[in-house]
Amino acid sequence: LESNRLSGRLGSSAKSKTHFYPFAMWSWKIMPPPPKVVVELGEERVINHSGVGVSLAAPLDIGSIIEGVEDADDKAAVAKAITEKTWDEMNKEYLKLDDAIVANDAATASWQGFVLP
């Protein structure tokens, strides 16, 4: 929530209009998290060969998100609404990437605008 507030403040003080684009990155399979947390140095990490993807969603319409907040003067409520909308849009893009990469389905990838090597 705090990073959204900071980004909003920086955007509102910019000389030109600021656009906020949610994006998703799918790369966890290359170096997945370890099965358990090890605090010592030298933990074993597995590195795999896998596809990766980055997907950029349409810019958020911050004005319409704020309009949907009951009390637009409540900064925490506004930040929460923006965070939730960003999460929803980012998650949609991630699921598209997941479908295209995991399923390795060229038809799905092509339909969603992705190009597989």
Side-chain angles (χ1 to χ4, degrees), residues 7-87:
S7 296
R9 272 189 258 141
L10 291 172
S12 65
S13 64
K15 292 179 183 177
S16 59
K17 182 173 177 165
T18 301
H19 300 277
F20 295 97
Y21 291 90
F23 75 94
M25 185 169 100
W26 195 104
S27 63
W28 69 270
K29 207 168 188 180
I30 291 175
M31 194 162 114
K36 63 179 183 169
V37 176
V38 179
V39 293
E40 304 91 43
L41 290 176
E43 71 179 346
E44 185 176 328
R45 296 301 298 258
V46 176
I47 298 174
N48 300 308
H49 177 78
S50 175
V52 298
V54 175
S55 183
L56 187 65
L60 294 175
D61 184 354
I62 301 297
S64 70
I65 296 170
I66 293 172
E67 284 176 9
V69 177
E70 200 169 299
D71 180 8
D73 293 328
D74 182 354
K75 292 180 182 180
V78 168
K80 184 177 181 189
I82 293 170
T83 299
E84 289 172 354
K85 180 64 174 173
T86 302
W87 169 258

